[in-house]
């Protein structure tokens, strides 16, 4: 269960137009977690609709991963004023919803340092941990996770795009695994 549409758990409720609920396949083994909604997301109530979303959609398509086959969410569900980074307190207020959303996933993709920090509860150096499968414990369950760049970091940097492509290829293997598991009835 994501944040309710009338959520008032933190101050972000004051400036929002919409609570931005997760998108994609609710049963997907793979969840992508972004930082926070921006203007377009706030207007539409859907994650990754603006410029970052366009980049993400294009890379997913180029790597043969249909966007509807993954689950997409954010650390916080309401837009921080001026698109600032959400505070620790705001992320903590939204964490129960995020943890609930991630139950049963096989792979979590943290898009950017803010999402990675929120989930791992420690500092993260993307350059050191980029695209390595690590374990994260969520409500007592170990789940594979990769940390990667936020799509916004790719606007002026093609190497970041290449890293994101690699991330999506990793995600694809988890989606393919599900395909073979269901076709053998396991
Ligand atoms: N950036 C994010 O981190 N999330 C969105 O939903 C949109 C932009």
């Amino acid at each position: 269960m994501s944040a309710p549409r009338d959520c008032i758990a933190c101050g972000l409720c004051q400036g929002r137009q919409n609570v931005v609920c997760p998108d994609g396949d609710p049963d997907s083994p793979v969840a992508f977690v972004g930082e926070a909604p921006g203007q377009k997301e706030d207007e539409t109530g859907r994650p990754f609709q603006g410029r970052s979303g366009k980049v993400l959609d294009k890379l997913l398509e180029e790597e043969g991963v249909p966007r509807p086959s993954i689950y997409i969410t954010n650390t916080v569900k309401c837009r921080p004023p001026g698109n600032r980074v959400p505070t620790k307190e705001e992320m903590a207020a939204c964490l129960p919803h995020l943890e609930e959303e991630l139950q049963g996933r096989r792979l979590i993709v943290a898009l950017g340092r803010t999402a990675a920090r929120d989930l791992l509860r420690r500092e993260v150096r993307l350059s050191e941990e980029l695209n390595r499968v690590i374990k994260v414990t969520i409500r007592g369950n170990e789940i594979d996770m990769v940390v990667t760049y936020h799509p916004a970091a790719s606007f002026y940097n093609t190497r970041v795009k290449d890293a994101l492509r690699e991330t999506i290829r990793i995600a694809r293997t988890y989606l393919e695994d599900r395909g073979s598991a269901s076709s053998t009835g396991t």
Side-chain angles (χ1 to χ4, degrees), residues 76-137:
V76 294
K77 311 299 188 252
C78 300
R79 182 191 183 195
N83 296 341
R84 64 163 169 73
V85 175
T87 63
K88 271 191 187 153
E89 291 72 24
E90 289 157 356
M91 289 195 286
C94 231
L95 192 61
H97 303 300
L98 181 60
E99 287 186 340
E100 186 71 36
E101 292 162 10
L102 297 177
Q103 289 306 297
R105 309 286 166 198
R106 293 208 44 245
L107 178 73
I108 298 167
V109 174
L111 295 168
R113 203 156 65 101
T114 304
R117 268 196 201 137
D118 190 34
L119 289 160
L120 292 169
R121 286 162 215 177
R122 61 169 171 80
E123 277 307 315
V124 176
R125 280 190 180 214
L126 283 186
S127 56
E128 285 172 12
E129 301 193 54
L130 182 68
N131 285 332
R132 281 183 13 213
V133 177
I134 52 184
K135 300 280 180 194
V136 60
T137 303

Side-chain angles (χ1 to χ4, degrees), residues 34-38 41 47-48 52 74 150:
E35 180 176 302
E41 292 77 25
F48 284 98
S52 295
N74 282 299
H150 191 281

Side-chain angles (χ1 to χ4, degrees), residues 27-179:
D27 299 320
S28 180
V30 177
F32 280 51
V33 181
E35 180 176 302
Q39 185 182 350
K40 271 266 180 290
E41 292 77 25
D42 183 46
E43 283 166 13
T44 58
R46 296 184 61 211
F48 284 98
Q49 297 298 301
R51 200 169 165 204
S52 295
K54 299 272 172 297
V55 171
L56 184 62
D57 287 357
K58 187 158 185 284
L59 292 173
L60 286 167
E61 192 188 330
E62 285 171 5
E63 295 304 323
V65 174
R67 174 166 164 153
S69 71
I70 60 172
Y71 184 84
I72 307 186
T73 188
N74 282 299
T75 63
V76 294
K77 311 299 188 252
C78 300
R79 182 191 183 195
N83 296 341
R84 64 163 169 73
V85 175
T87 63
K88 271 191 187 153
E89 291 72 24
E90 289 157 356
M91 289 195 286
C94 231
L95 192 61
H97 303 300
L98 181 60
E99 287 186 340
E100 186 71 36
E101 292 162 10
L102 297 177
Q103 289 306 297
R105 309 286 166 198
R106 293 208 44 245
L107 178 73
I108 298 167
V109 174
L111 295 168
R113 203 156 65 101
T114 304
R117 268 196 201 137
D118 190 34
L119 289 160
L120 292 169
R121 286 162 215 177
R122 61 169 171 80
E123 277 307 315
V124 176
R125 280 190 180 214
L126 283 186
S127 56
E128 285 172 12
E129 301 193 54
L130 182 68
N131 285 332
R132 281 183 13 213
V133 177
I134 52 184
K135 300 280 180 194
V136 60
T137 303
I138 297 186
R139 296 195 182 162
N141 298 313
E142 263 203 348
I143 306 178
D144 289 355
M145 173 167 158
V146 289
V147 302
T148 191
Y149 295 110
H150 191 281
S154 77
F155 293 162
Y156 307 104
N157 189 332
T158 48
R159 274 196 308 182
V160 168
K161 263 194 189 149
D162 291 341
L164 276 164
R165 280 185 214 288
E166 177 59 28
T167 311
I168 293 168
R169 281 184 218 125
I170 296 169
R172 200 173 60 200
T173 63
Y174 284 75
L175 292 163
E176 286 167 355
D177 255 17
R178 170 165 84 160

